[in-house]
Amino acid sequence: QNSSASAQVNCYKLQVTKSASTAYTTTHSWDIKKVVSPTVISMFDGDTKPLSYTIYVTKTGSVDSGYLVTGTIVISNPAPLAATVNSVSDVLTGGINGTVSCGSFPKTIAAFGTLSCPYTAAPGNGAGRTNTATAVQQVNPSVTKSYSGTAGVTFPGTGTTQVNGTV
């Protein structure tokens, strides 16, 4: 006797993507000096004489602060069945944890659905980094699986907010 059988197995995995926008503040310092000419005049009561003023303005420096990375983490479920997600986290290179706002867990992502979670992270300086988001899926009662997505983080040469940028 012979018997044969076939089965089609479809494997699905969650897809994690993210955006990363940057912002920071540049505070400028200035030295302002006023010089009058002539520096000494002699006058009698009631006299008037013209004086000239020259203002010298010198930029003395700039300090960058308030570095911030913001964006949205999107977990997509390409499967025709619901997926349970136990957690979503966000980490910048150097172990800097972001704050993810998804509400409470676990969360169920419907078949072919998505879960979007905004996040913020404060790296402390403008060094280029990689930003990694990770979603942990509960596959069955005893097995979890992690899925990650990354985005590059770069800060522009000038702060997005200028303090005392002009005089």
Side-chain angles (χ1 to χ4, degrees), residues 28-88:
H28 304 276
S29 301
W30 301 88
D31 182 37
I32 302 172
K33 182 177 174 184
K34 178 176 149 183
V35 177
V36 65
S37 176
T39 57
V40 176
I41 59 170
S42 297
M43 297 173 52
F44 288 102
D45 188 20
D47 284 352
T48 60
K49 290 191 178 178
L51 299 174
S52 297
Y53 290 93
T54 303
I55 307 294
Y56 296 95
V57 179
T58 306
K59 186 175 182 178
T60 57
S62 298
V63 175
D64 295 329
S65 63
Y67 292 92
L68 188 64
V69 180
T70 61
T72 302
I73 300 165
V74 178
I75 300 97
S76 301
N77 178 11
L81 55 139
T84 300
V85 175
N86 289 343
S87 65
V88 177

Side-chain angles (χ1 to χ4, degrees), residues 20-163:
S21 298
T22 57
Y24 68 102
T25 299
T26 300
T27 303
H28 304 276
S29 301
W30 301 88
D31 182 37
I32 302 172
K33 182 177 174 184
K34 178 176 149 183
V35 177
V36 65
S37 176
T39 57
V40 176
I41 59 170
S42 297
M43 297 173 52
F44 288 102
D45 188 20
D47 284 352
T48 60
K49 290 191 178 178
L51 299 174
S52 297
Y53 290 93
T54 303
I55 307 294
Y56 296 95
V57 179
T58 306
K59 186 175 182 178
T60 57
S62 298
V63 175
D64 295 329
S65 63
Y67 292 92
L68 188 64
V69 180
T70 61
T72 302
I73 300 165
V74 178
I75 300 97
S76 301
N77 178 11
L81 55 139
T84 300
V85 175
N86 289 343
S87 65
V88 177
S89 62
D90 186 71
V91 179
L92 297 173
T93 303
I96 299 162
N97 292 318
T99 301
V100 180
S101 301
C102 282
S104 60
F105 286 96
K107 292 234 183 260
T108 300
I109 304 175
F112 306 110
T114 60
L115 171 64
S116 295
C117 302
Y119 74 91
T120 60
N125 63 45
R129 303 174 190 276
T130 299
N131 189 334
T132 302
T134 303
V136 178
Q137 179 186 15
Q138 188 72 48
V139 178
N140 64 44
S142 61
V143 175
T144 60
K145 176 72 176 160
S146 296
Y147 301 96
S148 296
T150 62
V153 174
T154 57
F155 287 88
T158 303
T160 49
T161 299
Q162 300 290 311
V163 177

